[in-house]
């Protein structure tokens, strides 16, 4: 049982280290505006997250609701220290990944806002302004809004 739990925690740790590396690459791609590279990395990140979720779920089934730290307390000293060290490294790496993921999300939303503002600006320059029209009596007519539910007289 110890070997199974230790192996699971070790695989999770290695997966999180890889995730951290991928998130850093994604940040680099976002700052360099290399969109095809970022799209490829996104697929890798999602697949890795799925695999990490499967590993966590397997560990949860093996542990039957017992926390890993509680399990570690029942182990001999050397094994307990190894498990607790893996748990600490997992927590530290997970926090690092969460911070990097947050930075990536902020950058993506900033780029999205910038792109939307640029698109709005270009659209406002392309669309001609609405000109006032003169009616039959010589006064300026204000055109109706383009979308109307009912038009005409009753």
């Amino acid at each position: 049982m110890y070997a199974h739990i230790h192996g699971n925690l070790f695989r999770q740790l290695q997966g999180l280290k890889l995730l951290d590396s991928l998130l850093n690459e994604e940040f680099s791609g976002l700052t360099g505006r290399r969109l095809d590279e970022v799209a490829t990395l996104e697929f890798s990140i999602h697949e890795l997250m799925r695999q990490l979720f499967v590993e966590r779920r397997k560990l949860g089934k093996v542990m039957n609701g017992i926390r890993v730290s509680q399990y570690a307390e029942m182990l001999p000293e050397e094994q307990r220290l190894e498990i607790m060290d893996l748990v600490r490294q997992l927590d530290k790496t997970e926090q690092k990944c969460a911070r990097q993921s947050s930075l990536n999300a902020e950058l993506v939303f900033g780029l999205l806002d910038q792109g939307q503002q640029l698109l709005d600006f270009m659209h406002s320059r392309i669309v001609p302004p609405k000109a006032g029209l003169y009616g039959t009596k010589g006064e300026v007519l204000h055109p109706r809004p383009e979308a109307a539910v009912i038009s005409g007289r009753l």
Side-chain angles (χ1 to χ4, degrees), residues 89-113:
Q89 288 180 32
L90 266 170
D91 187 48
K92 182 180 172 184
T93 309
E94 191 173 338
Q95 294 299 321
K96 188 176 176 185
C97 288
R99 283 190 298 273
Q100 187 63 48
S101 179
S102 179
L103 283 173
N104 291 3
E106 285 180 35
L107 184 57
V108 166
F109 286 126
L111 290 172
L112 177 68
D113 289 343

Side-chain angles (χ1 to χ4, degrees), residues 8-74:
N8 187 294
L9 291 173
F10 184 76
R11 284 190 301 277
Q12 285 185 48
L13 180 60
Q14 296 307 311
L16 282 174
K17 287 179 180 179
L18 177 59
L19 179 63
D20 183 46
S21 172
L22 290 174
L23 288 171
N24 286 326
E25 261 187 75
E26 181 186 38
F27 186 79
S28 171
L30 287 170
T31 55
R33 305 234 179 162
R34 296 183 304 272
L35 301 181
D36 51 340
E37 180 183 321
V38 171
T40 304
L41 284 170
E42 276 298 311
F43 287 117
S44 299
I45 289 170
H46 286 288
E47 178 60 24
L48 182 58
M49 292 290 293
R50 186 193 66 75
Q51 290 173 2
L52 285 169
F53 174 74
V54 168
E55 287 292 328
R56 289 254 168 117
R57 196 167 53 188
K58 283 180 185 177
L59 183 63
K61 285 181 181 178
V62 167
M63 297 300 293
N64 277 337
I66 297 173
R67 297 183 57 108
V68 174
S69 58
Q70 292 172 333
Y71 169 74
E73 293 299 322
M74 297 182 281

Side-chain angles (χ1 to χ4, degrees), residues 118-128:
L118 179 62
L119 188 61
D120 291 344
F121 172 76
M122 289 173 57
H123 187 266
S124 70
R125 294 295 181 190
I126 293 172
V127 174

